[in-house]
């Protein structure tokens, strides 16, 4: 193109010079000067045009790769937003509309913002089943898994190609105009040359009226995360536009007429854009199909269409899933509240809620303050091990001496407002060792505490070996290894049946949790807990190893679990005073133990004859008999030199009714055994359920069948969380999360699952997300929010585990202890009760550097979380939104601020 333009320009200049006549030296000198000016101008314009063409070609290519195969024009106003963010911090957005004049470039930025909100719809027909051209686009469709949130399959590649071709035509025409003007100036062109120039200008004008220059440019844009064009491409494009505008503005060349026509087109586009801004609801409703309108209008506050929608493009199966999913939204929120009590409701019946809890400032999700947040490092005594609700020194100082006797100083005392400072990293922190190697060794720099090494090293708990802390697998009661001890327990008493009959275990006073760590080999999951006390960081060591654990204590309040939850409770020399205070602590274990389940107690009073041990054994014997616990046996482990007592909880009420002394007493009928959130202990026993339809009346199905089988006590006459009959609700939830996990989470989000071990579902329902991951080498802490339907008993029934929690407070875990968090419509719910900012700070505290979070929520909530995570220097890898629903995946970096919080 460069050679042809030069030759054409040279011929035209020669003709102009010849017609001026005259062969003198003055004429030759003048012609030479004019030719030099002309050639320089021509070369500059050609270079600018080539740069502009390259920019348009690259932009068109990006749009083509991000969109699916073109199947026709999209409906008017149809918008799909899809941003796949990599470490280069660029996002790709595709906007498809009918062929109408584009708004001005100033308005285009506003339109892009609207696209980010994620509204849009798909046309009916076979086109919507076409496969996307990129794996990332396919992952985005799967991760939303919603009939109203599927990315638009139809591309705009044809329109983009036409726009690029038109851009070339307009640029070439403008270049020819300028060259014609230069030739006339240099050579004094005669009437015939002027006529030719006018004809060229008119031809260009006709082309520009057919397709405005700005519309072709707005067809596809490549933007970075701040909405701007790449700097280098922007500079080249800006220079090209300035040169073209200069040519258009020249009245002598007819540019004034072209500019007039272009301004009329822009005014028309402005009017269209203004109408669209004034009536966004009407435009959106015209796009949406009637059946989609019906689904959205009948959906409850639980965002059922986002949680259960599926359009997988597999013919009959897809239609069947879609039909089931749409039927889920038939019930309103009121029905949900009638069918399911919440943990908050249950706890409220047992006690007065803490002062002001229900009056937590609402509207905390204002993004204005969050955007201006100045991050600082927490200035606390706990330093890198800071747990806000367990390290609240101000609250602990107010406790009385008798509170310390009942270990209340080890319980939760949360600050009035969630902290907004960031926990520092320990010096020399390194990315954790992957499972299963992590069970045997961790980096010393990550948990730089040696007290357990000094106190328990001879019992094979933990040792220091160079840069590592190593765990030989021993414990106080199983010095020669946990696996031998685990097999010893199963062989001692019939009915334990690790991994079949016994699936979910509670380990009290877990130490470094080697017992739970090795039970994984027997297909058993264990919730281990120990207090944050003078035994430095034992729970932190457990979590760093990849073993489930929480910081908790048997003190004055109930454990955050429902009643009749655990198949077996274990205490290996945990030094808990079970017999004290009327047996209050042992009665709490009785509450959470499933009828027919075992309490395994391997402690010195079982097998030693020291005076103190003999006294404790007599007290325990009297207490367990009055509790109607059967002593199933006492067995000795000769290898480890210890013995264990096996107690079994009754499955009927006959023993309770036949007791001569009603001590401990039976709980009153209005005492809710499932109320567990800040409920003080009550030294009483709840009756065993006997009706065949009551939870706990019989043992669950054997593992793994129990994970996929609806619990027998679910009632088909009652509506579940999502409005369907409870058993059907359970099944659809299970199928839904299997599709989501298989189609997108495992492959589409770019998660390195080899580095994922500790997972938390921050707002679990039936535990379907955890069930879908059971084949992976991960464990999932299912968190049931206190203001959500109380489905935690179902989670335990299916052989999974979890905990009650209020995300307006800090979670009872050490910093940097989870690899992946999953938040399904959590933040939009949180905003109803407390601020989002402290919750995001808590997420930053919990997640390990290199770990991540998946957020599925309303588009506004996702955008708010995204802004905060970016300000925290998280790497936002994927954002996708449509129909006011969005998905985000982000990974935490090693960044910490330099500023330090002012001391309190």
């Amino acid at each position: 193109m460069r050679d042809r333009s030069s030759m054409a320009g040279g011929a035209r200049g020669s003709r102009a010079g010849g017609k001026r006549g005259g062969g003198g030296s003055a004429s030759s000198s003048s012609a030479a000067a004019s030719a030099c000016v002309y050639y320089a101008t021509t070369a500059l314009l050609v270079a600018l045009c080539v740069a502009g063409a390259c920019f348009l070609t690259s932009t068109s290519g990006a749009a083509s790769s991000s969109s699916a195969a073109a199947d026709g024009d999209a409906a008017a106003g149809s918008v799909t937003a899809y941003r796949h963010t990599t470490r280069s911090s660029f996002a790709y957005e595709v906007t498809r509309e009918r062929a109408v004049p584009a708004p001005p470039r100033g308005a285009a930025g506003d339109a892009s913002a609207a696209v980010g909100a994620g509204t849009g719809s798909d046309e009916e027909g076979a086109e919507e089943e076409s496969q996307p051209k990129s794996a990332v686009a396919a992952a985005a469709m799967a991760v939303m898994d919603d009939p109203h949130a599927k990315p638009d399959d139809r591309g705009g590649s044809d329109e983009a190609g036409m726009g690029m071709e038109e851009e070339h035509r307009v640029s070439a025409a403008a270049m020819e105009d300028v060259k014609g003007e230069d030739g006339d100036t240099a050579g004094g062109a005669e009437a015939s040359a002027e006529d030719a120039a006018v004809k060229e200008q008119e031809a260009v004008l006709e082309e520009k009226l057919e397709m405005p220059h700005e519309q072709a440019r707005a067809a596809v844009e490549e933007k970075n995360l701040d909405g701007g064009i790449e700097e280098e491409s922007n500079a080249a494009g800006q220079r090209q536009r300035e040169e073209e505008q200069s040519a258009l503005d020249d009245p002598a060349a007819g540019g004034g007429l072209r500019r007039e026509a272009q301004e009329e087109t822009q005014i028309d586009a402005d009017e269209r854009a203004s109408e669209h801004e004034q009536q966004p609801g009407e435009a959106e409703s015209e796009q949406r199909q009637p059946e989609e309108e019906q689904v959205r209008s009948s959906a409850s506050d639980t965002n059922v269409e986002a949680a259960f929608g599926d359009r997988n493009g597999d013919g009959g199966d897809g239609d069947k899933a879609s039909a089931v999913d749409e039927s889920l939204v038939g019930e309103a929120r009121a029905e949900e509240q009638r069918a399911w009590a919440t943990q908050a409701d249950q706890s409220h019946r047992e006690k007065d809620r803490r002062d002001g809890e229900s009056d937590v400032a609402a509207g905390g999700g204002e993004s204005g303050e969050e955007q201006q947040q100045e991050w600082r490092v927490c200035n606390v005594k706990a330093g890198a091990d800071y747990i806000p609700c367990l390290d609240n020194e101000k609250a602990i100082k107010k406790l009385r001496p008798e509170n310390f006797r009942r270990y209340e100083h080890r319980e939760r005392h949360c600050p009035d407002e969630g902290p907004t400072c960031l926990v520092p990293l320990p010096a020399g922190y390194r990315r954790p060792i992957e499972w299963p190697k992590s069970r045997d060794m961790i980096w010393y720099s990550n948990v730089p505490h040696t007290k357990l090494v000094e106190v328990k090293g001879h019992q094979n708990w933990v040792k220091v070996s160079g840069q590592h802390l190593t765990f030989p697998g021993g414990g106080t009661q199983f010095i020669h290894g946990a696996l031998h001890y685990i097999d010893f327990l199963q062989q001692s008493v019939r009915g334990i049946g690790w991994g079949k009959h016994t699936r979910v275990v509670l380990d009290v006073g877990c130490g470094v949790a080697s017992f739970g760590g090795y039970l994984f080999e027997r297909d058993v999951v264990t919730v281990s807990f120990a207090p944050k006390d003078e035994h430095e960081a034992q729970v932190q060591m457990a979590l760093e190893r990849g073993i489930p654990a929480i910081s908790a204590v048997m003190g004055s309040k109930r454990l955050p679990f429902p009643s009749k939850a655990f198949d077996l409770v274990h205490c290996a020399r945990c030094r808990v005073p079970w017999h004290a205070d009327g047996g209050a602590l042992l009665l709490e274990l009785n509450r959470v133990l499933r009828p027919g389940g075992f309490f395994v107690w391997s402690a010195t009073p079982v097998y030693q004859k020291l005076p103190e041990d003999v006294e404790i054994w007599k007290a325990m014997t009297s207490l367990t008999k009055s509790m109607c616990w059967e002593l199933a046996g006492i067995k000795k482990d000769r290898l480890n030199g210890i013995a264990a007592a096996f107690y079994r909880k009754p499955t009927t009420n006959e023993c309770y009714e036949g007791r001569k002394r009603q001590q401990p007493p039976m709980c009153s009928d209005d005492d809710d055994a499932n109320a567990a959130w800040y409920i003080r202990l009550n030294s009483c026993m709840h009756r065993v359920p006997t009706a065949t339809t009551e939870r706990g009346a019989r043992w669950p199905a054997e593992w793994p069948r129990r994970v996929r089988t609806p619990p027998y006590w679910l009632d088909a006459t009652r509506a579940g969380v999502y409005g369907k009959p409870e058993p059907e609700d359970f099944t659809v939830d299970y199928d839904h999360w299997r599709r989501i996990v298989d189609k997108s989470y495992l492959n589409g989000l770019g998660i390195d699952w080899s580095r994922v071990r500790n997972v938390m579902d921050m707002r679990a329902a039936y535990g379907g997300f955890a069930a879908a991951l059971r084949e992976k080498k991960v464990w999932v802490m299912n968190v049931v929010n206190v203001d959500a339907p109380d489905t935690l008993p179902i989670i335990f029934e299916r052989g999974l585990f979890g905990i009650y929690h209020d995300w307006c407070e800090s979670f009872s875990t050490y910093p940097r202890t989870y690899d992946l968090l999953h938040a399904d419509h959590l933040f939009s719910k949180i905003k109803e009760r407390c601020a989002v900012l402290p919750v995001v700070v808590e997420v930053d505290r919990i997640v390990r550097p290199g770990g991540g979070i998946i957020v599925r929520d309303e588009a506004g909530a996702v955008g708010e979380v995204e802004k905060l995570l970016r300000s925290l220097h998280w790497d936002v890898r994927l954002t996708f939104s449509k129909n006011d629903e969005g998905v985000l995946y982000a990974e935490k970096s090693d960044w910490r601020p330099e500023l330090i919080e002012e001391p309190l």
Side-chain angles (χ1 to χ4, degrees), residues 76-90:
S78 176
V79 177
T80 297
Y82 170 59
R83 294 185 291 160
H84 180 251
T85 309
T86 63
R87 295 188 183 276
S88 61
S89 298
F90 287 107

Side-chain angles (χ1 to χ4, degrees), residues 32-242:
S34 299
C36 289
V37 172
Y38 163 72
Y39 285 128
T41 305
T42 300
L44 176 61
L45 288 173
V46 170
L48 291 175
C49 289
V50 171
C54 293
F55 166 69
L56 289 171
T57 302
S58 63
T59 307
S60 178
S64 178
S65 63
S66 300
S67 63
D71 290 321
D73 293 339
S78 176
V79 177
T80 297
Y82 170 59
R83 294 185 291 160
H84 180 251
T85 309
T86 63
R87 295 188 183 276
S88 61
S89 298
F90 287 107
Y92 300 92
E93 298 185 3
V94 179
T95 303
R96 292 187 292 279
E97 299 187 1
R98 289 181 188 262
V100 296
R105 301 195 65 82
D110 298 336
S112 298
V115 169
T119 60
S121 63
D122 291 339
E123 291 183 350
E124 296 293 335
E127 292 85 7
E128 65 185 24
E129 300 299 337
S130 61
Q131 297 299 320
K133 288 185 178 180
S134 71
V136 174
M141 288 192 294
V143 76
M144 287 300 291
D145 201 15
D146 177 44
H148 321 304
K150 181 180 178 183
D152 199 327
D153 289 347
R154 294 165 300 280
S157 57
D158 290 343
E159 291 86 346
M162 292 173 59
M164 184 176 67
E165 183 179 352
E166 186 68 23
E167 182 80 18
H168 282 297
R169 292 204 306 269
V170 173
S171 300
M175 182 181 68
E176 290 295 335
D177 290 343
V178 176
K179 287 190 291 186
E181 295 164 14
D182 290 342
D184 290 343
T185 303
E190 294 183 353
S192 59
E194 293 175 356
D195 293 341
V198 171
K199 289 180 181 180
E200 283 185 350
Q201 294 161 10
E202 291 175 352
V204 171
L205 176 59
E206 290 176 359
E207 288 181 352
K208 294 178 73 62
L209 290 175
E210 283 181 16
M211 185 169 185
H213 179 64
E214 287 296 320
Q215 177 190 343
R217 189 186 310 280
V220 179
E221 276 191 358
E222 175 173 307
K223 297 183 176 183
N224 63 17
L225 294 173
D226 296 326
I229 304 172
E230 283 188 71
E231 293 182 0
E232 295 180 3
S233 299
N234 186 27
Q238 183 64 28
R239 288 195 299 270
Q240 178 184 0
R241 288 192 296 273
E242 289 175 356

Side-chain angles (χ1 to χ4, degrees), residues 681-692:
L681 294 179
N682 191 7
S683 298
C684 65
M685 294 185 298
H686 295 88
R687 293 184 176 275
V688 172
T690 56
T692 57

Side-chain angles (χ1 to χ4, degrees), residues 145 304-305 307-310 320-329 708-710 714 721-740 765-769 772 798:
D145 201 15
V304 180
E305 68 270 26
F308 285 92
D310 178 56
K320 186 184 300 181
S322 180
V324 172
D325 296 340
E326 289 183 10
S327 64
L328 280 169
V329 298
R708 61 179 181 270
T709 304
L714 291 184
V721 172
Y722 302 106
K724 297 295 291 181
E726 288 180 355
E728 187 176 348
D729 231 25
F730 175 96
T731 301
V732 174
D733 175 83
Y734 179 48
D735 293 339
H736 164 73
W737 285 112
R738 282 198 305 167
R739 290 195 300 269
I740 293 291
Y766 296 109
F769 169 70
R798 67 191 305 187

Side-chain angles (χ1 to χ4, degrees), residues 501-624:
H501 188 73
T502 300
R503 164 65 183 175
V504 188
V505 171
L506 178 67
D507 188 19
V508 182
C510 63
V512 294
S514 288
F515 178 70
Y518 282 89
L519 270 174
F520 278 110
E521 294 192 13
R522 301 295 184 262
D523 221 0
V524 175
V525 291
T526 307
V527 181
S528 301
F529 75 91
K532 185 178 183 182
D533 58 9
E534 60 274 2
H535 285 160
E536 291 177 337
Q538 49 190 333
V539 167
Q540 187 180 24
M541 288 182 180
L543 288 162
E544 186 74 14
R545 297 173 68 188
I547 303 171
I550 59 170
S551 291
V553 65
M554 297 285 292
S556 66
K557 297 181 179 64
R558 287 179 175 177
L559 295 171
F561 308 114
S563 67
K564 306 179 289 291
F566 292 96
D567 302 338
L568 182 145
V569 178
H570 174 257
C571 168
R573 202 167 180 176
C574 51
R575 295 190 178 277
V576 176
W578 299 117
H579 59 288
D581 296 324
L585 301 183
L586 196 62
L587 290 169
E588 172 61 4
L589 292 190
N590 184 72
R591 182 185 73 88
V592 300
L593 182 61
R594 188 183 300 280
F598 288 98
F599 171 59
V600 180
W601 187 40
S602 63
T604 54
V606 178
Y607 56 92
Q608 289 187 359
K609 301 302 180 183
L610 297 175
E612 182 183 4
D613 292 326
V614 171
E615 182 181 348
I616 293 174
W617 175 253
K618 288 182 179 180
M620 278 289 288
T621 300
S622 174
L623 177 60
T624 53

Side-chain angles (χ1 to χ4, degrees), residues 816-835:
R816 306 170 303 280
T817 46
Y818 281 85
D819 300 303
L820 180 66
L821 303 186
H822 182 255
D824 182 26
H825 288 83
L826 170 71
F827 293 97
S828 56
K829 292 291 184 182
I830 283 293
K831 293 176 67 172
E832 300 173 3
R833 302 177 54 246
C834 56

Side-chain angles (χ1 to χ4, degrees), residues 277-325:
E277 290 175 358
Q278 293 172 0
Q279 300 175 344
E282 294 179 10
E284 184 177 348
S285 62
E286 290 175 0
Q287 300 169 37
R288 193 166 291 147
Q289 300 296 333
E291 58 189 16
E292 179 177 333
E293 293 176 354
Q294 181 180 0
V295 170
R296 289 188 63 80
S297 63
S298 62
S300 68
D301 253 3
T302 53
N303 296 292
V304 180
E305 68 270 26
F308 285 92
D310 178 56
R311 181 177 294 175
N312 52 18
D314 57 358
D317 292 341
D319 295 340
K320 186 184 300 181
S322 180
V324 172
D325 296 340

